[in-house]
Amino acid sequence: MEPSDAAGPSDAAPSDAAGAAFERCARLVLAGRYEEALTATEEAAVLLRGRTAGSRPADRETAAALAYVLVLRCEALSKLGRWDECLRTASEAVDLGRGQAVTAPFTAPLGATLLGLGTALWGLGRPQEAVAVTRESVDLHRQLARADHAFRPQLANALSQLGVVLSRLGRHAEALDVTKESVSLYRRLVAADQADHTHGLAQAVNNLARRQSARNQHRRALRSIQEAVALYRGLAAANPAVHRRDLAMALGNAARMHNGRAESLAAVAESVAILEELDRAEPGVHGGLFADSLSLHAAALADLGRFREAAEVTTRAVAMMREQAALNPVARRGDLGLALAFHARVRAEAGLDLAGGLAAATEAVALMRGLAAEIPDLYASALAEVVALESRLRAAVPRGDAP
């Protein structure tokens, strides 16, 4: 899922030392300095918790600031793949938000905290719950945006996030509708203030491309992803530390959508190169996206008939995906299953290491059966394909070599 922009209005923070701590946390998260952000958010939370003791009316502004700090902490934890901690943090933030008056926008950050909770639930493989709380966030932000147009960016972001979680449940028509609304809102925001909202627009347009592709609107998806890549290139040129990862992600999506095989390979090769460099600088932080990008690289090579090269890349991609699945077995099992299935397909097409391909296909079938039972709209067809692939490989592998 794409990260939330929802640190919330900075007006929520007190104007003294607690406010300075809040602003420092926000800057660290926006700069992608997540480990430092965890230290800063813990220090700020301790300070703010001390000021909310007793829940006196005078403390409501400080309670709101604490909730926003916890949202920032949840953002950093999600980027680092620490989902259990993210869930605990988001739950505390939601409890704080529900304890405030929703009609007082700057002291009622419930919408932002719900979005953080939705991110945590998705990360832990609980998509139905993630949809429910993300939809609640959208509904609340609609209410706030009607009363105060300053909340339109938060509404646009919440709509984009809702589109992501709906799509992960195979509800592609609904996902496309809310993502279109998000893009429309962001375009109006960018027209009024380009500097503040270009990143939000890039994120929403990237999500729109994915939603259009899922609905077989391929030409529209290609136009959208080209726009997203162009926006991210501009952002990455101005602030590479923050936006190069975003550019790599968009390039990976471009590789999925290009009609030309050479163009797909060029896009994903650039994505892999960026992520390789980022992974060397921050080992473990970018592993999930890097593994996805490697799988796309293998697919692009296979489309060009370069199966031996593709087989080498899938070996690395599966190894990295196993690491991600070990960290988060519920949420990443679908990604691991797909990586294993492609690992097997490349070997079947190339006639290489058929026994290894069969072992990967058999493991993928076991993973896909569970996923197809839970989310049939998303995984039923993938299960059928990998079952057929397993049968094909089993027939090709000599009986004594079969795992």
Side-chain angles (χ1 to χ4, degrees), residues 89 96 102 104 115-116 141 158 161 167-168 210-211 229 269 272 341 359 381 395:
T89 301
L96 276 167
V102 172
L115 215 54
H141 280 119
Q161 294 248 44
S167 72
R168 294 297 179 91
R210 296 291 300 271
R211 307 295 83 83
V229 168
V272 167
S381 62

Side-chain angles (χ1 to χ4, degrees), residues 211-271:
R211 307 295 83 83
Q212 289 168 328
S213 181
R215 295 290 288 168
N216 296 316
Q217 298 177 8
H218 300 302
R219 290 184 180 178
R220 292 178 182 177
L222 184 56
R223 287 196 297 271
S224 294
I225 198 58
Q226 288 170 339
E227 180 185 359
V229 168
L231 288 167
Y232 278 130
R233 281 200 192 282
L235 290 164
N239 194 343
V242 176
H243 295 297
R244 288 188 76 212
R245 175 191 165 97
D246 294 330
L247 174 59
M249 174 268 301
L251 285 163
N253 288 334
R256 287 185 175 94
M257 297 169 200
H258 268 301
N259 294 323
R261 293 174 177 177
E263 291 89 340
S264 290
L265 182 59
V268 75
E270 184 181 357
S271 176

Side-chain angles (χ1 to χ4, degrees), residues 8 58 67 79 94 162 176 223 300 302 305 341 358 366 384 398:
K79 289 293 189 181
V94 168
L162 179 59
L176 180 58
R223 287 196 297 271
L358 175 57

